[in-house]
Amino acid sequence: MKETKQSLASPEARAAMHELMGAFEAFKAANDERLEAIERKAGDGLLEEKVARIDQAVGAAQDRLERLSAEARRPLIAGAAERVPSTPSGSPSPMHGEETKAAFAGYLRHGATAGLIEVKAGLSTGASSGGYVVPEQVERLIERRLMAASPMREIATVRTVAGGVFKKPVSISGIESGWVAETAARPETDPASLALLEFPSADLYASPAATQTLLDDAMVDLDAWLAEEVEDAFAAQETAAFVAGTGTNQPKGFLSYPVEADASAQWGEIGYVAAGAAGAFDSEDPVDRLIDLIYAPASQYRANARFVMNRRTAGLIRKFKDADGNYIWSPATQPGATSSLLGYPVTEIEQMPDVSADSLSIAFGDFRRGYLIVDRAGVRVLRDPYTAKPYVLFYTTKRVGGGVQNFDAIKVMKFAAS
């Protein structure tokens, strides 16, 4: 079973883009009418409902375009380059290329284990469960599908490591330097202040089920089936953890770190800009507050910065205008592009909190430099034909960690008066 790849410039994608542009134009016209009615102090409930209804249509069109773009980024099954797989210890596996893939297919279909690498359950393995290591081709396929399905994986740095804990030294204050004459003495400078960040990986699991009839069907590509089944489950769990994970048996989300007013934030804290009101934008100058958030990170982090929020928060901001009467939110202008806010791209992550008192509903910054996702090499699958008979369960485990690696690169908006 081969996967059909959707081109970013396909007729369906172009139609979705035109639908989005048309819906946004209708939204602007209805919202302008609503604002004029408010200025005349002649508010109309039906007009409010019309704006809300069109805003939902804009959101639906945006979701459709993003879904088509995500599908287009998913890899084709055929034609993938083959590499020699290795064991968790780094030594070559007993079978290579198509042989390993065929052996794994035999395990999925019938439970045959010849030629596969077994991971024993127990504390000595560093894993919480046993199973068999999937071929490298299948692991890459799962990772590529996750990259397309998980918005955080698209905007953050992703690193694959061999150990259970990734340790990264970072410079907090930077190395001191100075100017000297050609023949003058070079006085010793103070060394940089270093901090050691640790990113432990935790088990992320899913247990897709299949019938034996499906497994017996020779036309079904079981590698693609397994990757597709775990994709949504892994992506949803990962994204929630990358945003608000506690760091205990899961990655630590960027909203889980201590927050402090940006002017007084220290290393290890996320700086925030106040929205100006409790649970709402400042009624007088909401756009100015967003501009304050844009200029909270240093200039080196703004070049590749973006906004992160959920669709409900985006729906609120979509109604804002600047001092010249122009809408500050712009829809995507071509397939594969994203909407923008004040000239910066917007990534919608549904796990971001809704606007409420003291909520951190909007983040802004260079997430590529600010957040690190750590993948432990190796995906394990344990075939279970007994627990849910007549179905066969495939207990699939992947080890993932994550956390903030640069606290200066990410800022948030706190919906509070100050």
Side-chain angles (χ1 to χ4, degrees):
M1 180 178 65
K2 294 184 179 180
E3 190 174 336
T4 301
K5 188 173 184 180
Q6 177 80 30
S7 171
L8 286 176
S10 67
E12 188 176 1
R14 288 196 297 269
M17 184 192 67
H18 292 314
E19 178 185 350
L20 172 61
M21 298 292 289
F24 185 59
E25 290 300 321
F27 168 80
K28 290 194 295 184
N31 192 53
D32 289 345
E33 186 179 354
R34 179 184 70 89
L35 294 176
E36 291 175 1
I38 292 175
E39 291 177 357
R40 297 194 309 268
K41 298 183 179 179
D44 188 344
L46 293 178
L47 187 56
E48 294 283 352
E49 292 179 5
K50 177 182 178 182
V51 172
R53 186 170 60 254
I54 298 177
D55 182 57
Q56 290 178 355
V58 173
Q62 179 72 35
D63 291 344
R64 179 168 174 246
L65 182 59
E66 291 180 353
R67 175 179 57 80
L68 291 172
S69 298
E71 289 177 355
R73 292 190 297 271
R74 290 173 183 167
L76 289 171
I77 302 304
E82 302 292 345
R83 295 201 303 246
V84 176
S86 60
T87 65
S89 62
S91 59
S93 66
M95 305 180 74
H96 311 302
E98 290 301 322
E99 292 181 336
T100 306
K101 194 170 184 291
F104 185 66
Y107 174 66
L108 295 181
R109 294 184 192 278
H110 311 296
T113 60
L116 297 179
I117 303 167
E118 184 177 6
V119 178
K120 299 289 187 181
L123 295 177
S124 61
T125 65
S128 60
S129 62
Y132 290 88
V133 179
V134 305
E136 190 171 355
Q137 308 98 304
V138 182
E139 181 181 353
R140 293 201 309 271
L141 176 59
I142 293 175
E143 290 176 351
R144 289 198 299 267
R145 292 187 69 99
L146 280 177
M147 185 68 72
S150 172
M152 276 298 293
R153 283 184 175 269
E154 288 191 354
I155 65 177
T157 295
V158 181
R159 186 183 299 274
T160 301
V161 299
V165 179
F166 177 69
K167 299 181 180 181
K168 179 180 180 179
V170 295
S171 175
I172 298 176
S173 60
I175 301 174
E176 291 191 4
S177 61
W179 295 100
V180 295
E182 181 178 358
T183 59
R186 269 63 172 174
E188 183 178 351
T189 59
D190 292 333
S193 298
L194 297 177
L196 183 64
L197 300 180
E198 296 187 356
F199 301 90
S201 57
D203 279 3
L204 175 65
Y205 71 91
S207 189
T211 63
Q212 191 59 50
T213 302
L214 172 68
L215 300 177
D216 290 338
D217 189 344
M219 295 300 295
V220 174
D221 187 333
L222 293 181
D223 296 346
W225 169 83
L226 180 65
E228 182 179 359
E229 288 293 309
V230 302
E231 172 191 338
D232 290 340
F234 278 5
Q237 290 292 329
E238 278 188 348
T239 305
F242 297 151
V243 171
T246 62
T248 301
N249 297 325
Q250 59 183 274
K252 188 164 185 176
F254 63 87
L255 295 185
S256 296
Y257 290 85
V259 295
E260 186 64 44
D262 186 55
S264 56
Q266 303 294 320
W267 183 264
E269 299 173 335
I270 300 292
Y272 76 80
V273 172
F281 284 98
D282 190 327
S283 59
E284 297 297 327
D285 54 359
V287 178
D288 289 350
R289 299 291 179 156
L290 290 171
I291 294 175
D292 290 341
L293 179 60
I294 289 175
Y295 284 94
S299 58
Q300 65 262 36
Y301 303 117
R302 290 200 299 271
N304 298 310
R306 63 179 55 242
F307 285 96
V308 171
M309 64 190 75
N310 68 24
R311 72 178 72 186
R312 290 168 292 279
T313 305
L316 294 174
I317 296 175
R318 197 176 287 140
K319 302 173 184 177
F320 294 167
K321 294 182 178 182
D322 61 18
D324 298 325
N326 300 314
Y327 282 89
I328 63 173
W329 189 88
S330 300
T333 57
Q334 60 183 5
T338 60
S339 301
S340 63
L341 173 61
L342 292 170
Y344 290 91
V346 177
T347 297
E348 290 188 9
I349 299 181
E350 288 308 299
Q351 288 80 1
M352 288 290 289
D354 291 334
V355 172
S356 61
D358 295 330
S359 67
L360 307 174
S361 302
I362 302 175
F364 178 82
D366 187 344
F367 282 80
R368 191 78 62 189
R369 299 172 68 177
Y371 195 87
L372 176 65
I373 297 172
V374 177
D375 285 331
R376 169 75 181 274
V379 176
R380 303 185 303 276
V381 174
L382 180 63
R383 190 179 192 272
D384 178 11
Y386 308 108
T387 302
K389 293 184 292 187
Y391 300 101
V392 180
L393 302 180
F394 294 94
Y395 183 72
T396 308
T397 309
K398 176 180 176 60
R399 305 203 75 195
V400 182
V404 173
Q405 63 177 343
N406 188 332
F407 293 90
D408 296 329
I410 299 175
K411 306 296 179 180
V412 297
M413 176 169 283
K414 183 177 180 179
F415 281 82
S418 61

